[in-house]
Amino acid sequence: MYPVRIEGERIVLREFEERDLDASMAVVGDPDVTVSLSFDTRAREEQAERLAADLRRALVEPRPDYYLAIADRRTDELIGFIRVGLGGHRSGELGYALRKDRWRQGLTYEAAQLMLTFGFEALALHRIQAACGPDNFASQAMLQRLGFEYEGRMRHHVFTNSAWRDSLLYAKIINN
Ligand SMILES: CC(C)(COP(=O)(O)OP(=O)(O)OC[C@H]1O[C@@H](n2cnc3c(N)ncnc32)[C@H](O)[C@@H]1OP(=O)(O)O)[C@@H](O)C(=O)NCCC(=O)NCCS
């Protein structure tokens, strides 16, 4: 399915565009954001390559993931990312990040709700999981508010910021 555009009240989930490079640096170039992610803070050059790869990957059929920009609905400017990676057996893995100056406005929650509806309805997924760092209380609280249940701790799940990090696994299942 391409291109995807999902309209919310205050945000839009849309495909990445080349012009998103500068705006995306406010997310992937900010150590306060990437400290909670599974990759290190990126320099602009590296992000330019990543963005180009993301643009190409969106055209692969079948899509391995739906990695979308969270854009401000008024300006269409990228303020974050949200992704569902597709696994076997109608499963998906959710990930997200928002630029720091837009935190605590309910915007990622809105984006996640839109993505969950897309995943469970349009993609007919049965299970969507998410893994977050044990210290990432913001993400854990959000997943619980979204109806995810805690399933356990994955030890040394990711190598990030020069160290192994455990992850807490959450999942939501819909009997569709
Ligand atoms: C986690 C993150 C995406 C939350 O985004 P956000 O837009 O600020 O979250 P929202 O405003 O939509 O909040 C939704 C819910 O999440 C929880 N939450 C969000 N931030 C929180 C915080 N700092 N402390 C506690 N709970 C928090 C709350 O339950 C909140 O609902 P409430 O406002 O009604 O209490 C954002 O902090 C971020 O980008 N962090 C860095 C990247 C990251 O951690 N990604 C997830 C990796 S698993």
Side-chain angles (χ1 to χ4, degrees), residues 65-98:
D65 60 5
Y66 286 84
Y67 188 25
L68 302 174
I70 303 174
D72 185 306
R73 192 175 162 155
R74 277 179 308 117
T75 61
D76 203 38
E77 189 193 7
L78 180 149
I79 56 170
F81 313 113
I82 190 155
R83 174 178 181 270
V84 167
L86 299 176
H89 303 282
R90 293 167 58 201
S91 70
E93 173 135 8
L94 182 69
Y96 40 75
L98 201 75

Side-chain angles (χ1 to χ4, degrees), residues 2-131:
Y2 180 92
V4 171
R5 185 177 174 87
I6 306 170
E7 305 260 350
E9 243 177 70
R10 292 179 295 161
I11 51 131
V12 175
L13 307 187
R14 61 156 173 81
E15 303 292 349
F16 291 109
E17 296 172 18
E18 272 175 40
R19 67 180 167 98
D20 290 330
L21 178 59
D22 285 336
S24 72
M25 286 308 296
V27 186
V28 301
D30 180 352
D32 288 342
V33 177
T34 59
V35 70
S36 304
L37 297 175
S38 57
F39 57 83
D40 296 345
T41 309
R42 289 182 193 151
R44 197 169 187 282
E45 262 176 32
E46 186 190 352
Q47 175 59 7
E49 285 171 22
R50 294 278 182 168
L51 181 61
D54 295 336
L55 292 171
R56 285 195 300 274
R57 200 170 68 254
L59 301 172
V60 172
E61 206 47 64
R63 286 180 81 153
D65 60 5
Y66 286 84
Y67 188 25
L68 302 174
I70 303 174
D72 185 306
R73 192 175 162 155
R74 277 179 308 117
T75 61
D76 203 38
E77 189 193 7
L78 180 149
I79 56 170
F81 313 113
I82 190 155
R83 174 178 181 270
V84 167
L86 299 176
H89 303 282
R90 293 167 58 201
S91 70
E93 173 135 8
L94 182 69
Y96 40 75
L98 201 75
R99 56 182 292 165
K100 194 178 167 191
D101 60 1
R102 304 300 296 272
W103 286 0
R104 301 284 359 213
Q105 298 170 21
L107 297 175
T108 308
Y109 184 78
E110 187 180 330
Q113 279 192 311
L114 293 172
M115 192 57 127
L116 289 178
T117 302
F118 177 71
F120 286 125
E121 294 182 5
L123 302 178
L125 298 179
H126 175 66
R127 171 190 164 90
I128 296 179
Q129 66 179 40

Side-chain angles (χ1 to χ4, degrees), residues 137-149:
F137 302 114
S139 190
Q140 290 164 40
M142 190 169 85
L143 290 168
Q144 281 163 8
R145 233 191 107 191
L146 288 164
F148 280 66
E149 285 182 38

